[in-house]
Amino acid sequence: MGLFSFIKDAGEKLFGHKEVEQAASASAPNLAELNQKAGDAIKTYIEKQNLGLSGLGVSFDGASGKVALSGSAPSQEAAEKASLAAGNVASVTSVDNNLQYPAGTASQYHDVVSGDTLSAISKKYYGDAN
């Protein structure tokens, strides 16, 4: 699905700021333990969203703030919501979503620029300005 970027200091505070600082400067054995603990907290947070995910795997790298998701989702919508939930955690800067989901319609993204209107965007993507 891809890599999404997020604001590091925004979102749910699932683990303490000191723990994140320790993870960024800790020795290798302690670093792995802190990253695992943070990954488990993020996984629990995503599972509380009741998205119907199965085999969810979450890994967190405290040094870069990157979360990687694996497993399967019932739909593309559920996979996208899992990315957003993971990105809504403080200290997470990016989410690499590798969740598998059944083939279907792909999401469409639109960069809003000066002069755009909702009706023009609607007509472009749906063929009807209403």
Side-chain angles (χ1 to χ4, degrees):
M1 184 168 198
L3 183 68
F4 295 89
S5 297
F6 294 90
I7 299 171
K8 182 177 183 176
D9 296 327
E12 296 285 331
K13 310 285 190 245
L14 298 183
F15 35 88
H17 183 69
K18 289 183 180 180
E19 290 174 321
V20 174
E21 288 177 358
Q22 288 174 349
S25 63
S27 62
N30 196 24
L31 176 63
E33 181 181 318
L34 290 170
N35 284 339
Q36 180 65 42
K37 184 177 177 182
D40 291 344
I42 295 168
K43 179 179 179 181
T44 300
Y45 178 67
I46 293 170
E47 288 173 338
K48 286 182 181 178
Q49 308 306 311
N50 295 321
L51 300 174
L53 306 176
S54 60
L56 178 62
V58 178
S59 64
F60 177 71
D61 178 21
S64 66
K66 183 178 179 181
V67 172
L69 303 177
S70 61
S72 60
S75 66
Q76 182 175 357
E77 178 184 7
E80 290 173 356
K81 286 180 180 179
S83 284
L84 293 174
N88 189 39
V89 174
S91 301
V92 172
T93 59
S94 61
V95 176
D96 188 10
N97 189 334
N98 297 309
L99 291 170
Q100 302 297 313
Y101 52 87
T105 59
S107 294
Q108 296 179 345
Y109 296 93
H110 177 82
D111 290 328
V112 178
V113 296
S114 180
D116 274 353
T117 64
L118 291 176
S119 58
I121 295 169
S122 177
K123 184 168 182 155
K124 177 180 178 181
Y125 290 101
Y126 302 111
D128 182 6
N130 294 319

